[in-house]
Amino acid sequence: MNNTQSIELLFELSRPGRRTHRLPVCDVPVKPVSSLLPAGAVAEAPPPLPEVGEIDLIRHYNNLSTRNFSIDTNFYPLGSCTMKYNPKRHERFAANPAFAGVHPLQDEETTQGMLEMLWDMQNFLTEISGLPAISLQPAAGAHGELTALYVAAAYFRDKGMTSRRKVLVPDSAHGTNPASAVLAGFQTITVKSNAKGLVDLDDLKSKLDDSTAVFMITNPNTLGLFEGQIRQITDLVHQAGGLVYLDGANMNAILGITRPGDFGADMQHYNVHKTFTGPHGGGGPGSGPITVRDFLAPYLPTPLVKKVGDKFELDYNLPKSIGRVRSFFGNVGILFRGWAYIRTLGPDGLKKVSEHAVLNANYLLSRLKGNFDVPHGDRCMHEFVASAKGLRREKRISAMDIGKRLLDYGYHAPTVYFPLVVPEALMMEPTETESKQTLDAFADALIAIINEEPTFLHQAPHTMPISRPDEVKAAKEPILRWTA
Amino acid sequence: MPYILNTPDDEQTMLKAIGAESIDELFSTIPAEARLPRALNIPAAMEEIELTQHVGALGRKNQAAGDHVCFLGGGAYDHFIPTVVDAVSSRSEFYTAYTPYQAEASQGSLQAFYEYQTLICQITGMDVANASLYEGGSAVAEAVLMAINVTDRKGNVVVPESLHPEYRQVLATYLANLGVQLVTIPTPGGYLDPAELKKAVGPETAAVVVQHPNFFGHLEEVEELVRITRAAGALYVASFDPISAGVIKRPGQYDADIAVAEGQCLGTPLGYGGPYLGIMACRNEYVRKIPGRLVGQTTDRNGKRCWTLTLQTREQHIRRDKATSNICTNQGLFALRAAVYLTALGPQGLKETAELCLQKAHYLADQLATIPGVSLKFNRPFFKEFAVKLPGDVPVMLKQLQTKGYFAGLHAGRWYPGLADTLTVAVTEKRTKAEMDGLVKAIKELVGK
Ligand SMILES: Cc1ncc(COP(=O)(O)O)c(C=O)c1O
C-alpha cells in the first residue's frame, strides 16, 4: 500500500481539540493544583503532543503496518536472527490478565502460578544447555553477555585473580560480544578464523595466557559451522585458566542434539526471542537468560526462583551476587512465550526443530551453491553465508543489490555484510518453520535476480514504497524528530 | 509436530538434493562425544487444548492487580491502557518484524519509531530521544555510562537514596568493574537535600542521578540540584515519571542533560516486571554518544521523504569494542505502545490523567491521615505516590489487607531498614473514591483492633 495517508506524520494529522482517550470526571473533591504542588514545579502547559481522533489514529497505524515486512506476511531469512513463526497461542496466553496483570512487587503468595512457570523455565533452560545454574533476568542477548561477563569478573575477583583482564573474541563474532566485554571492564583481543571459517587454534593458543579471563565463542558460529574442535578449544582455554562463554544465538541448530555444558562451555546466554519464538516486535523485546556452571552460580544476579516444599519463592540470598542488571524479574512476557513453546514441543519436538532447521538450511544451500560463492563448503548447520564477491567483480552486483531486489519478489533480505570475515556476505537462515515450496521459490528468485540487468538491480527495489534512502544524508544532517 | 511443514516426502527429496543419506548425517561435524545420547529431560509435548487448560490452571494460582484494588507502585503502576494500544500492537506486521535494518521493507516500524522519538522529546522537553532501552533501571545505568563518556570523568557518580533502590542496584552492578565509585547520599527526609549534594559532588563527579518524583513519590528541588551539578561540571541525569509530565515541569524545562524513565506507565501491562520500556533522551550536543538505535529522516533516490536507522557508527555492529553501548535488541514493540498511548491521550488527556493521579493521591493521603496512629511519613510535596507511617507490623497489615481485597502498597522497610514502619502508596487515575474509602475503612478496622 502506498497511499499518502500512511506517510503523514501523527504531528501533521494533528488538529487542536481532537483526541482519542477521554478521562472520567474526578470523583474526589478537586483542590487547586497550586495548593498541592509548589508553583515552581508545575508546568505551564502539558507537552505539545499531537491531537488525533480514534479513527485517524487507527488508520494511521494500520496503514503504517502495511509498510512493513514481517514473519506473518513474508519469508524472512535474516541470518543470525532465527525468524521463525511466532505461534498465535502464545499471544493469547501472554494477554491473560492472570499473568499480564501481575505487579512485579506483589507478595509471593499471590504469584505462585507465575513463579511455577518461571521455575519450569529455569529447569528447561538448564537442561537444554547442560549448565546447571540460571538467571532469567537479562533483557536480551547482549544483556545476557554483559551479565555473564560481570559474573566472570566477580568470580576472578573473588578468587584473587584480578590480573585476568582480557576477553578473547573470534573475528567472526557478533558485534555485541566485544562491546559487552568492554562495558564489563575487560580488554578485547581478536582471534582469527582459519580458511575453513573456524577458530584458528594456533592463533588462539598464541593469545591465551594468564591474563585471559574469557573466550567468547559462538557455536555453531556465525558462518553456520559447528566448531568441530570445540573440545580442544575449551580445553585450551581452561588450561590457561580462562572461562568459556558460549554466545547462544544459534541454539536453534542444536536443541537436544548437543549441549554447551557438554562441549565445555562455562556460561551461555539464550536469545529466547530467537530460539523460543518471542516475537521480535520490530526491534524488541527480547529475553537473554544465562546458564552457568555450579562454581559460577554464587555470582548470578538475584532474585532466582526457588522451590521450597511445594511453594515457590524468590531467592535474594546470594551474598556474592553481582547484584541486579535490571529492575524487577526479567522480560517475563517473552519467557512465558518461550515456556509455552517448549511445553508445546516437548523433547522430541525440540530436537525436530533443530533437525528441520538444519535440513532447510542445507537444502537451500544445495539449491544455491551452483550460482553463488559459498566460501565455507556445501554443508552447514541452521544457516550459511553465501558471498556475492564473484558477482560483484564480474557483474558489479553487490550483496546489497541482491537484498534490495529480493524485496520486490516479496522476500525479506538475508543479513548482509555480516559476518565481517566474508566479503559481500549474504547470511541466510530459513528456520524450520518454512516449507520446501517456500525455499524453492526463494531460491528461484535469487537465481533469477543474479541474471537480471545489473543497472536495474542497482536501483532496486522497484516496487516498494521507497527505494534506497540516502543514508549519508541521514547521518550527516541528522533529523531525529519532527519539529513544527 | 506443529510448526514444521516438511512431509516425509519432502524430507527425502531434500536429502537427495543435498546428497545426504539422513538428517543425522547433516550433524556429522558435531563430535560424537559431544552428542547428547538421550532425550532432553523436559515434559512431553502438549496440544493447544491441553496447554490452554494448563495455563488457565497456573493463572488461577496468581492473584492479579485487577483481582484486588491495587495501590502498588515502586516503578510499575496500574494505569489504564486504552483499547487502541492493544489494537495497534497486536498487528502482527508490527510485532513479527525484526529490527528495521532494511529500510524499504520497514517504513512502518521506522516511521513509528521516529514518531516515538518525537513524542519522547515532547514529554521530556529534550532535543533527541533514542528508539528505546530495556527498562528504567538499565536506562539509568546507560545514562551514567554516557555521562562518563561525555565528561571523561571516572571518579564518581552521585545518587540519593530517594532514587529507586533497584535502579541503584543496577547502577552499582554496571559500575563495579569500571573503577568508578558510586556515592549514595542518605535522604532521611524523603528527598535529596541540596546542601548534601553540594558536599558530595566534585571535580571527579561524572554524573548526578535524581529521580523526580522520587521513589517515595516526592518532588525534589530539581532546579537547585541542577545548578549544583552544573557548577561541579557533572551531567545531570533526570529519572522521571512520564505521566507526571502532564502536570509538572519536564526534565528539559529544568535543564537536565539526560532524561531517562521507566515507560511502563505508557500503555504497558504490569506483566510481573517486563517487558517494559527504557526511555532515554538528551541534549543535542550529546547525540553521538547516545546508546541504542536512532531513526532519522532522509529522502530516497526519488526524493521521497522516508526513514532509516542512522548514526550507526555509534553502535556495536559497526564499532564493536568502541561502541557507545552493547545494546542490540531493544524494546521496540513497547516503544510503539507508548507512542500509541501518548497519541491517544494527547496533551489534554495526559494533563487530565496526571491531575487525576495528583488529586486522588492527595485525597487518599488526607483520608489515611485521619486514622489514629496513621500519618504521612514525610512532609513533602508529592505527585501520585506517598509514604505513610502505620501503627503496627507493616508486612502483617499488608497481608491482612490483601485478604480484604487490597494491594495496599509497598513496605518501604524492604529496601530501607530505617523505614520499617512505612508504606508507600500509589494512586492512579483508575482508583475510585469508593475504592479509596474502602481502603481507609479497612485500615481503620485493623488499627482499631
Ligand atoms: C550471534 C549473536 N550474538 C548476540 C546477539 C545479540 O542478541 P540481542 O540482539 O538479543 O541483544 C545476536 C543478535 O542479534 C546475535 O546474532
Side-chain angles (χ1 to χ4, degrees):
Chain A
M1 212 189 293
N2 198 10
N3 57 25
T4 50
Q5 269 167 4
S6 62
I7 52 169
E8 256 182 302
L9 290 163
L10 284 170
F11 317 99
E12 295 160 347
L13 287 170
S14 174
R15 295 291 178 276
R18 287 196 187 139
R19 66 193 283 192
T20 296
H21 182 58
R22 287 169 194 279
L23 281 304
V25 284
C26 190
D27 61 354
V28 300
V30 174
K31 295 184 173 172
V33 171
S34 60
S35 72
L36 303 176
L37 298 175
V42 179
E44 274 167 31
L49 297 169
E51 299 179 64
V52 179
E54 184 158 337
I55 189 172
D56 281 347
L57 182 154
I58 289 297
R59 278 189 191 147
H60 175 75
Y61 281 105
N62 283 358
N63 279 314
L64 279 189
S65 77
T66 65
R67 294 160 72 87
N68 264 6
F69 276 15
S70 64
I71 301 179
D72 277 6
T73 53
N74 306 79
F75 178 45
Y76 215 121
L78 198 65
S80 208
C81 302
T82 315
M83 294 296 277
K84 61 170 74 179
Y85 177 65
N86 305 136
K88 295 299 158 199
R89 65 191 70 167
H90 299 177
E91 299 311 306
R92 188 194 272 176
F93 296 153
N96 179 346
F99 291 87
V102 176
H103 189 282
L105 298 172
Q106 272 176 229
D107 192 322
E108 286 157 26
E109 254 174 42
T110 65
T111 59
Q112 286 295 304
M114 183 73 80
L115 293 176
E116 182 173 341
M117 181 274 290
L118 294 167
W119 162 258
D120 278 352
M121 192 60 170
Q122 289 185 170
N123 293 332
F124 299 165
L125 296 181
T126 51
E127 165 66 5
I128 292 167
S129 70
L131 292 165
I134 183 164
S135 167
L136 298 175
Q137 199 171 99
H143 205 213
E145 295 169 18
L146 181 65
T147 306
L149 290 166
Y150 286 152
V151 166
Y155 163 76
F156 286 122
R157 205 180 309 122
D158 193 33
K159 300 291 168 203
M161 294 187 269
T162 45
S163 60
R164 295 198 175 268
R165 304 287 344 136
K166 290 182 187 155
V167 170
L168 277 48
V169 183
D171 53 9
S172 59
H174 195 258
T176 51
N177 292 189
S180 299
V182 168
L183 205 54
F186 292 103
Q187 208 185 314
T188 59
I189 309 281
T190 305
V191 176
K192 284 197 211 110
S193 302
N194 62 23
K196 290 187 192 145
L198 302 171
V199 171
D200 184 325
L201 281 191
D202 291 328
D203 194 51
L204 173 63
K205 272 183 218 161
S206 74
K207 287 168 179 165
L208 285 168
D209 58 29
D210 58 8
S211 67
T212 304
V214 178
F215 178 51
M216 299 180 86
I217 186 167
T218 309
N219 195 22
N221 68 20
T222 60
L223 295 163
L225 306 172
F226 195 86
E227 298 275 354
Q229 294 187 300
I230 186 67
R231 262 293 166 198
Q232 288 93 311
I233 292 171
T234 57
D235 286 349
L236 281 172
V237 177
H238 289 147
Q239 278 154 21
L243 299 174
V244 176
Y245 180 83
L246 182 98
D247 178 330
N250 294 339
M251 285 301 286
N252 211 47
I254 58 171
L255 299 170
I257 290 168
T258 179
R259 306 191 305 170
D262 296 343
F263 60 66
D266 301 301
M267 333 179 253
Q268 83 153 99
H269 81 254
Y270 283 97
N271 301 71
V272 178
H273 47 301
K274 298 180 181 182
T275 315
F276 304 115
T277 79
H280 213 280
S287 170
I290 58 167
T291 56
V292 301
R293 282 198 195 285
D294 273 332
F295 66 90
L296 296 169
Y299 311 97
L300 287 172
T302 58
L304 311 170
V305 183
K306 187 168 82 171
K307 191 173 183 188
V308 181
D310 55 2
K311 288 262 178 258
F312 298 92
E313 291 178 4
L314 289 175
D315 185 2
Y316 291 88
N317 186 23
L318 241 61
K320 292 183 176 178
S321 166
I322 58 164
R324 287 187 159 276
V325 292
R326 55 162 294 160
S327 57
F328 308 129
F329 189 85
N331 276 357
V332 174
I334 300 301
L335 293 165
F336 189 20
R337 289 170 173 87
W339 172 91
Y341 183 66
I342 296 171
R343 291 299 329 239
T344 302
L345 298 184
D348 302 337
L350 280 187
K351 190 169 176 192
K352 273 228 153 60
V353 162
S354 291
E355 289 175 344
H356 285 262
V358 171
L359 177 67
N360 278 357
N362 276 283
Y363 178 67
L364 185 58
L365 173 54
S366 77
R367 286 285 330 262
L368 294 176
K369 68 186 179 195
N371 295 278
F372 286 82
D373 300 332
V374 189
H376 297 101
D378 52 11
R379 287 288 170 84
C380 63
M381 297 296 285
H382 65 302
E383 66 189 354
F384 63 92
V385 182
S387 168
K389 190 176 155 193
L391 289 165
R392 168 127 214 187
R393 197 177 46 232
E394 286 149 29
K395 299 193 184 173
R396 299 190 47 246
I397 302 174
S398 68
M400 158 113 89
D401 298 332
I402 295 166
K404 297 288 185 202
R405 181 64 178 144
L406 272 170
L407 306 177
D408 286 328
Y409 283 77
Y411 300 110
H412 196 277
T415 294
V416 288
Y417 302 102
F418 176 77
L420 308 178
V421 292
V422 176
E424 297 294 325
L426 288 153
M427 183 191 212
M428 305 186 207
E429 180 179 13
T431 83
E432 73 285 358
T433 61
E434 299 299 333
S435 68
K436 176 177 175 295
Q437 290 68 36
T438 299
L439 302 182
D440 280 328
F442 176 70
D444 292 343
L446 269 173
I447 294 165
I449 286 170
I450 59 174
N451 291 304
E452 289 182 327
E453 202 42 60
T455 49
F456 185 67
L457 297 182
H458 297 155
Q459 304 216 320
H462 297 278
T463 60
M464 300 296 288
I466 64 148
S467 180
R468 306 258 175 165
D470 186 340
E471 309 212 343
V472 176
K473 175 173 149 186
K476 236 185 181 162
E477 310 147 25
I479 306 174
L480 304 173
R481 60 178 291 188
W482 174 85
T483 37
Chain B
M1 176 49 213
Y3 320 133
I4 290 178
L5 307 185
N6 295 330
T7 64
D9 272 355
D10 289 335
E11 205 175 300
Q12 286 317 310
T13 321
M14 292 164 83
L15 284 170
K16 210 158 162 197
I18 296 165
E21 289 291 318
S22 64
I23 289 186
D24 205 49
E25 187 190 318
L26 302 175
F27 291 88
S28 60
T29 51
I30 303 181
E33 68 275 13
R35 296 284 296 258
L36 186 68
R38 57 169 176 85
L40 285 170
N41 181 20
I42 58 174
M46 276 178 154
E47 294 300 347
E48 184 173 4
I49 294 178
E50 300 166 295
L51 186 55
T52 301
Q53 288 162 347
H54 181 51
V55 167
L58 279 179
R60 285 189 289 280
K61 298 185 196 173
N62 293 332
Q63 298 171 30
D67 302 332
H68 292 254
V69 182
C70 180
F71 296 95
L72 305 177
Y77 299 91
D78 185 27
H79 287 289
F80 185 77
I81 302 175
T83 312
V84 290
V85 176
D86 288 331
V88 171
S89 85
S90 60
R91 290 285 297 202
S92 62
E93 298 92 329
F94 284 128
Y95 81 74
T96 74
Y98 203 76
T99 301
Y101 293 133
Q102 286 293 338
E104 290 92 337
S106 317
Q107 284 299 297
S109 292
L110 285 164
Q111 184 176 332
F113 296 148
Y114 178 80
E115 291 171 343
Y116 164 82
Q117 289 172 188
T118 305
L119 293 161
I120 296 304
C121 290
Q122 293 176 340
I123 62 162
T124 55
M126 306 297 293
D127 302 324
V128 273
N130 74 10
S132 76
L133 297 172
Y134 301 137
E135 46 72 60
S138 53
V140 163
E142 288 275 10
V144 164
L145 296 181
M146 182 177 157
I148 291 171
N149 200 342
V150 167
T151 59
D152 207 15
R153 292 179 175 191
K154 297 196 171 58
N156 61 42
V157 171
V158 179
V159 301
E161 264 183 353
S162 55
L163 171 63
H164 195 305
E166 293 194 351
Y167 297 3
R168 284 187 279 123
Q169 289 167 1
V170 175
L171 182 56
T173 307
Y174 272 70
L175 293 180
N177 300 298
L178 302 179
V180 180
Q181 206 197 336
L182 180 59
V183 177
T184 307
I185 306 177
T187 54
Y191 76 109
L192 173 56
D193 182 346
E196 294 300 318
L197 180 65
K198 208 165 188 171
K199 281 188 253 165
V201 291
E204 288 293 285
T205 306
V208 173
V209 187
V210 177
Q211 183 179 347
H212 167 71
N214 68 23
F215 183 72
F216 307 107
H218 302 147
L219 306 194
E220 297 279 6
E221 292 172 13
V222 287
E223 269 148 4
E224 183 60 15
L225 299 174
V226 169
R227 263 194 298 278
I228 294 166
T229 304
R230 183 116 331 120
L235 294 201
Y236 186 94
V237 178
S239 172
F240 77 110
D241 172 357
I243 297 293
S244 75
V247 52
I248 68 176
K249 278 188 189 162
R250 308 184 270 284
Q253 293 178 318
Y254 57 82
D255 216 17
D257 295 298
I258 305 172
V260 290
E262 173 52 72
Q264 178 272 333
C265 53
L266 305 176
T268 292
L270 288 166
Y272 201 57
Y276 282 0
L277 170 67
I279 290 174
M280 176 181 273
C282 69
R283 295 171 176 277
N284 232 340
E285 58 212 87
Y286 308 137
V287 64
R288 283 169 202 275
K289 307 267 187 200
I290 203 171
R293 312 269 184 215
L294 286 172
V295 176
Q297 181 182 310
T298 185
T299 47
D300 80 346
R301 74 178 162 82
N302 300 313
K304 273 195 214 165
R305 177 172 75 169
C306 63
W307 289 274
T308 184
L309 291 175
T310 194
L311 300 184
Q312 296 190 71
T313 52
R314 299 164 300 112
E315 291 190 68
Q316 46 75 28
H317 61 287
I318 308 283
R319 199 54 78 76
R320 300 177 76 84
D321 54 349
K322 308 264 183 329
T324 56
S325 165
N326 68 336
I327 192 167
C328 180
T329 290
N330 59 17
Q331 299 288 120
L333 193 67
F334 293 85
L336 175 71
R337 290 181 71 95
V340 179
Y341 179 89
L342 287 169
T343 306
L345 265 64
Q348 198 54 30
L350 188 65
K351 179 164 186 276
E352 288 171 18
T353 301
E355 287 182 352
L356 284 173
C357 294
L358 178 77
Q359 294 290 346
K360 292 182 181 217
H362 283 79
Y363 172 78
L364 180 58
D366 287 348
Q367 297 301 309
L368 287 172
T370 64
I371 304 172
V374 177
S375 58
L376 278 192
K377 180 74 186 177
F378 305 106
N379 183 23
R380 300 291 306 177
F382 60 89
F383 169 54
K384 70 180 185 197
E385 203 162 6
F386 55 91
V388 281
K389 185 167 167 295
L390 293 182
D393 185 320
V394 177
V396 171
M397 291 178 74
L398 280 175
K399 276 215 164 54
Q400 289 165 329
L401 290 166
Q402 209 164 278
T403 60
K404 298 186 179 202
Y406 298 96
F407 285 155
L410 299 171
H411 180 214
R414 170 173 178 173
W415 299 281
Y416 301 89
L419 296 179
D421 61 356
T422 304
L423 183 71
T424 62
V425 181
V427 186
T428 69
E429 76 286 2
K430 277 169 78 174
R431 296 289 72 84
T432 62
K433 179 170 181 296
E435 289 171 337
M436 294 189 282
D437 290 344
L439 176 69
V440 172
K441 183 161 167 275
I443 294 182
K444 228 178 230 163
E445 283 166 12
L446 279 186
V447 172
K449 268 189 199 154

